[in-house]
Amino acid sequence: MATGEEVRASRDARLEQLHERLTAAVDQLVSGEDWKRALEFGARFRAKSFNNTLLIWAQHLDLYEAGRTSAPEPTFVAGYKQWKALGRSPLAGGSMQIFAPLMARFASSTPQNPGSWRRLDRYEKPKPGETVRSKMVRAIPVRVWDVSMTDGPPIPERPAPTQMEGQAPDGLWEGLSALVAAEGFAVLRVEHEGMIHGANGLTDFQARTVAVRTNMDEVAQVKTLAHELAHVMLHGPDNPDATGHRGVGEVEAESVALMIGAAHGMDTTAYTIPYVSGWAGTVKDKDPVEVVQATGERVRKVAVTILDALPTVQVDTGDPPGLSREPAGTSRMPGSERIARQSVLVESARSSRPADVAVRSL
């Protein structure tokens, strides 16, 4: 039987392998086309973090090229116990690994004192009057499988969005407009770009308005509105996480717009790719890989926040239909494949101060 030290060494080795794989996947995102593919892929797996999305992407491709899965791309990804709960069993010969947060319970009788929190043992109960909170203590590797790597009864199909050329998906403009209004901004539709300094759209934080020109196709208008909504949520003068760099801000906003479009079956790449590529090249002293690492998770979180609030038909999130996840903060028992989902709160932007953006979550 392996000792505790051997178990930890094995876990640390797997974590190091995952980091190496993640770095290799990020290195492939240096071109506009690869960035576009990563975002479109992320739009389909938005229940997963950006880092885990890249790991799934890279590992599934390796398994496909090795003939260990019949699907060229993954569709639904879950852990062993999650697949068993849906009546399906992972097949031998192929699995993927992602990072998952290991949660632990902490108790304190004086929660306002950061140094007063003590970690509870697995079955330990808090003392009377103590406050209990769960938090992540470290990342651990867990195994997951795509549906193509499992066997069992078919899973139900969700409705897929349909897209007519030149037209926006039903309800998407209205849904995005409502989210802009919820942030305290008015949506303006202007006749031509000359009214907004030659741009397709313009966010005015002082006047608290978002303007979109109407002399372009519906798809372009709704994509532009998604772009401006991302600016509202990410780049206002009160947002402490905004870098203040125009190039980073434009990469983030247009990347969010691409994910919103991809989640609705829209292809916005003819505009998005050269736009993102151009602005990414303006980030001084950073190569494209650094920009990707800094913005990927931030983009995903805002896109997920927007998509979760929209009453529109969207592509799948990457979770199998029927899968029910436990709320974030639930303790993760040893041996389970449970992955705590992170809650996302994006505040309205009001003031800006320079700050480096970092990928802080799994």
Side-chain angles (χ1 to χ4, degrees):
M1 182 174 179
T3 65
E5 185 175 343
E6 290 171 336
V7 170
R8 286 192 295 273
S10 175
R11 182 203 65 212
D12 291 345
R14 285 192 292 159
L15 284 173
E16 182 61 30
Q17 290 174 352
L18 282 178
H19 277 297
E20 291 176 359
R21 172 58 64 86
L22 178 60
T23 301
V26 169
D27 282 341
Q28 296 175 9
L29 299 181
V30 296
S31 72
E33 182 64 23
D34 284 340
W35 180 232
K36 165 243 182 181
R37 289 175 58 212
L39 289 171
E40 289 183 334
F41 189 81
R44 291 178 19 230
F45 283 83
R46 55 191 179 275
K48 305 287 189 295
S49 72
F50 187 75
N51 285 354
N52 279 340
T53 296
L54 292 182
L55 287 171
I56 292 169
W57 183 11
Q59 292 173 93
H60 190 279
L61 179 60
D62 288 347
L63 290 170
Y64 176 70
E65 292 178 343
R68 295 165 73 180
T69 178
S70 60
E73 290 189 353
T75 53
F76 301 116
V77 175
Y80 180 84
K81 289 190 175 182
Q82 294 162 345
W83 279 123
K84 294 296 286 187
L86 296 173
R88 297 184 67 88
S89 298
L91 299 170
S95 67
M96 300 173 287
Q97 287 191 332
I98 62 175
F99 294 112
L102 178 64
M103 309 300 291
R105 295 181 306 140
F106 292 80
S108 172
S109 57
T110 55
Q112 67 276 11
N113 179 8
S116 67
W117 292 89
R118 61 187 180 85
R119 182 171 176 174
L120 298 174
D121 292 335
R122 185 186 304 179
Y123 302 113
E124 182 181 359
K125 294 182 179 180
K127 298 176 182 177
E130 284 189 320
T131 299
V132 177
R133 293 176 184 169
S134 294
K135 70 175 183 178
M136 173 182 161
V137 292
R138 67 175 183 269
I140 59 174
V142 297
R143 298 171 69 195
V144 293
W145 290 259
D146 178 59
V147 65
S148 62
M149 305 169 190
T150 67
D151 182 54
I155 57 178
E157 293 186 5
R158 291 172 175 152
T162 58
Q163 175 62 32
M164 295 180 65
E165 186 175 354
Q167 294 183 343
D170 289 343
L172 185 52
W173 175 273
E174 292 77 11
L176 292 171
S177 296
L179 294 179
V180 172
E183 296 287 339
F185 286 68
V187 177
L188 308 177
R189 306 186 84 163
V190 300
E191 294 181 0
H192 57 82
E193 59 271 28
M195 302 175 68
I196 48 176
H197 309 292
N200 290 336
L202 180 67
T203 296
D204 187 328
F205 286 98
Q206 185 172 3
R208 301 191 72 78
T209 59
V210 168
V212 176
R213 67 181 177 96
T214 58
N215 60 337
M216 53 184 176
D217 288 348
E218 285 185 13
V219 168
Q221 292 182 46
V222 78
K223 190 280 304 177
T224 299
L225 185 58
H227 176 110
E228 299 306 323
L229 175 58
H231 276 314
V232 168
M233 299 176 74
L234 284 170
H235 304 133
D238 247 352
N239 194 324
D241 292 324
T243 65
H245 191 290
R246 175 76 187 279
V248 172
E250 293 302 323
V251 168
E252 289 179 335
E254 191 63 18
S255 297
V256 169
L258 190 149
M259 289 194 75
I260 300 301
H264 290 86
M266 294 166 49
D267 183 2
T268 69
T269 56
Y271 180 89
T272 294
I273 298 312
Y275 188 94
V276 168
S277 298
W279 280 110
T282 69
V283 182
K284 186 179 180 180
D285 299 328
K286 287 190 177 182
D287 61 33
V289 171
E290 290 180 289
V291 176
V292 170
Q293 289 174 321
T295 64
E297 181 65 7
R298 185 166 154 86
V299 164
R300 184 198 70 89
K301 283 187 174 183
V302 173
V304 167
T305 300
I306 294 171
L307 290 167
D308 284 349
L310 290 172
T312 51
V313 177
Q314 301 169 17
V315 299
D316 297 299
T317 65
D319 280 344
L323 178 63
S324 176
R325 293 186 181 273
E326 293 189 5
T330 305
S331 294
R332 184 182 184 277
M333 300 302 291
S336 76
E337 295 289 340
R338 195 176 303 148
I339 301 173
R341 301 182 72 176
Q342 300 178 14
S343 61
V344 179
L345 177 61
V346 181
E347 298 181 355
S348 298
R350 288 195 173 110
S351 121
S352 175
R353 60 182 177 85
D356 289 332
V357 178
V359 178
R360 298 184 178 90
S361 60
L362 299 176

